[in-house]
């Protein structure tokens, strides 16, 4: 705390107040339902929305049979009613209900499911009038308790669609209860994003200025300047930045967080076996440090066989084990303590190069080794399509959670600073924000930090609009702690989502990013205290320089203040020698 010398003492009270507001249709981020299997299901969200008889209080009214088999009512010991689909011969056979959709609306979906034996994946699926099957969400259902299936869909059609429940094992019964399908307009969705940003990323702060004798200081000028935002919002960086002053200036004027797109990867640092070369990566690390830029390490190993160094692809299991051990020891030891995160094993929901050759626990073992070498740095899985593509069952949030839990339960992995990395490479077109939100909800139930690690959106008409939607959705979610875009200037080869042309003039997507950077930080304010010696202001989390100017002597007192995300209330007393 730095202070100037003055004629009197000023007492400043900071009251950190939670901002409040009414949610649209009571949006909620209660993740407890997704973390366990319950003996009795919770009530239907939004009262079931547009689902008829969502809690089966009117027996089976509104529900039909799709395909083969039958449906019947079930009643628990506590009197809870639900529906049972049995005698199924095809994966989609069972209970169904036809619901009307409106094009352009977003639909949140949830249901409680159970099966009568074992554990199986159960998905909610829509069948449109044109015969298209749209996967809404999935969960691992078990016997003896109820699991919460959460999903969502953006409606690119208007008309009826049949809600179905899919389980590939036709020998099990599917039990369902408390079904909900709630529509929202895009305007309602955006309003809720803004509301959550206000609630999760800002606090109301009251400054009260008093003399040492406790009398209020009317007319004191309080200057509030944010010196560092607590929101990690960054951009990918590659080796071209070492060759271009314009690229350096473009990047450093905007971003304090980055991921090197290729320069730390194994195929970049050891092209020829035994000849490690970290020259480019080291130079980029020094550049980032010089400019106060935090780095996510990407990546230690990659499970896709296509992206191994050429000499690695055909190694024997024994030689691969030795080479991978040398790699992880080399790169993690070299940058230990210099990074904010490691992507330990990249894309091991889609690929299994190391597991196929070294055993099912290969990824877990490399997490364990990275933890030993760099115990204070977050260790992440990093996967594509978990939030961006509901069609990709392999990368579903349910499968992501299960894989991460397997890794963390491996002996020696207790205490790892684990994190959830979802890439966010969206194909061109309207992003499915409802599915994205549901997926983030499911992932957040683990209580671990989530980062959007490589956000991009393919080029096409309306790209900037869609890109903004994705970034706002990520920023507004309470479970997301950071966002890195794999986007950038044309000169650096960012062709999917280009933020600046060859002359470093903004593209429309670049304009969106600059707009959000400015929107998500506090502007410098000069406010004058009222007759009570008070001012109130809403501030983003982050670091601030606060200056109080005495209205009588014009002397000033300054100090640094950090508004943390976990500041929930109460007050902080600061005594200042002015």
């Amino acid at each position: 705390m730095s202070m100037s010398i003055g004629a009197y003492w000023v007492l400043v009270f900071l009251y950190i107040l939670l901002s409040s507001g009414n949610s649209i249709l009571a949006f909620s981020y209660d993740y407890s339902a997704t973390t366990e299997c319950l003996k009795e299901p919770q009530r239907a969200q939004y009262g079931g929305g547009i689902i008829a008889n969502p809690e089966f209080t009117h027996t089976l009214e509104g529900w039909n049979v799709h395909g083969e088999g039958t449906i019947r009512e079930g009643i628990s010991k506590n009197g809870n009613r639900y529906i049972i689909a049995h005698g199924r011969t095809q994966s989609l056979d069972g209970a169904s209900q036809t619901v009307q959709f409106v094009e352009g609306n977003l639909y949140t979906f949830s249901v409680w499911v159970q099966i009568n034996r074992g554990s199986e994946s159960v998905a909610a699926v829509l069948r449109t009038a044109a015969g298209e099957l749209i996967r809404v969400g999935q969960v691992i259902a078990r016997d003896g308790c109820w699991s919460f299936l959460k999903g969502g869909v953006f409606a690119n059609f208007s008309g009826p669609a049949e809600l179905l429940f899919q389980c590939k094992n036709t020998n099990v019964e599917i039990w369902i209860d408390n079904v909900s399908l709630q529509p929202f307009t895009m305007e309602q969705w955006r309003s809720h994003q803004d509301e959550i940003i206000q609630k999760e990323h800002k606090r109301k702060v009251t400054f009260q200025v008093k003399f040492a004798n406790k009398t209020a200081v009317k007319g004191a000028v309080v200057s509030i300047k944010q010196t560092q935002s607590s929101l990690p919002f960054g951009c990918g960086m590659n080796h071209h930045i070492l060759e271009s002053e314009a690229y350096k200036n473009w990047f450093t004027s905007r971003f304090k967080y980055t991921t090197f797109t290729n320069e730390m990867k194994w195929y970049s640092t050891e092209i020829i076996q035994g000849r490690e070369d970290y020259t480019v990566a080291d130079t980029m690390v020094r550049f980032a440090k010089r400019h106060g830029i935090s780095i996510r390490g990407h990546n230690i190993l990659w499970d896709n066989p296509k992206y191994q160094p050429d000499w690695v692809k055909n190694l024997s299991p024994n030689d691969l084990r030795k080479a991978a051990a040398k790699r992880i020891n080399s790169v993690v030891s070299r940058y230990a303590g210099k990074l904010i995160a490691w992507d330990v094993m990249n894309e091991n929901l889609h690929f299994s190069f190391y597991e196929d050759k070294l055993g099912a626990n290969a990824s877990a073992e490399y997490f364990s080794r990275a933890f030993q070498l760099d115990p204070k740095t977050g260790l992440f899985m990093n996967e594509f399509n978990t939030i961006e593509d509901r069609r990709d069952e392999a990368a579903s949030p349910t499968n992501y959670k299960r894989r991460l839990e397997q890794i963390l339960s491996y002996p020696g992995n207790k205490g790892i600073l684990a994190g959830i990395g979802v890439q966010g490479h969206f194909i061109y077109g309207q992003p499915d924000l409802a599915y994205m939100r549901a997926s983030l909800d499911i992932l957040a139930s683990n209580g671990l930090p989530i980062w959007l690690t490589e956000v991009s959106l393919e080029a096409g008409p309306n790209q900037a609009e869609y890109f903004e939607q994705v970034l706002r959705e990520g920023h507004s979610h309470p479970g997301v702690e950071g966002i890195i875009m794999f986007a950038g200037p044309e000169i650096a080869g960012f062709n999917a989502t280009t933020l600046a042309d060859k002359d470093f003039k903004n593209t429309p997507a670049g304009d969106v990013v600059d707009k959000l950077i400015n929107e998500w930080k506090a502007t410098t304010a000069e406010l004058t205290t009222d007759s009570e010696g008070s001012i109130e202001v809403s501030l983003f989390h982050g670091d601030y320089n606060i200056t109080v100017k005495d209205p009588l002597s014009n002397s000033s007192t300054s100090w640094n203040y950090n508004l943390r995300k976990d500041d929930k209330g109460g007050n902080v007393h600061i005594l200042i020698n002015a």
Side-chain angles (χ1 to χ4, degrees), residues 51 63 95-99 109 124-126 161-165 179:
I51 294 293
W63 293 88
S96 74
Q97 184 173 134
T98 298
V99 184
F109 176 81
V125 178
L126 295 174
E162 188 178 12
L163 173 63
L164 306 170
F165 299 91
V179 191

Side-chain angles (χ1 to χ4, degrees), residues 100-116:
Q100 294 292 324
F101 284 79
V102 176
E103 185 174 4
N105 278 354
L106 300 105
Y107 291 79
T108 63
F109 176 81
S110 63
V111 63
W112 289 87
V113 297
Q114 185 175 168
I115 57 174
N116 63 328

Side-chain angles (χ1 to χ4, degrees), residues 209-259:
V209 183
K210 291 185 178 182
F211 294 120
N213 63 6
K214 305 297 179 67
T215 59
V217 182
K218 179 182 178 181
V221 177
V222 181
S223 177
I224 305 168
K225 180 180 181 180
Q226 188 176 51
T227 56
Q228 177 67 52
S229 171
S230 66
L231 170 69
F233 181 43
C235 191
M237 177 194 296
N238 64 32
H239 66 277
H240 290 285
I241 203 165
L242 303 178
E243 307 158 357
S244 169
E245 288 300 317
Y247 187 4
K248 291 177 183 177
N249 293 335
W250 178 87
F251 195 100
T252 57
S253 66
R254 289 167 171 80
F255 304 111
K256 291 296 183 182
Y257 294 86
T258 194
T259 299

Side-chain angles (χ1 to χ4, degrees), residues 409-429:
S409 66
Y410 183 76
N413 285 356
K414 184 178 181 180
I416 280 179
L417 298 176
I420 296 169
V422 286
Q423 293 177 11
H425 290 298
F426 287 79
I427 62 174
Y428 171 70

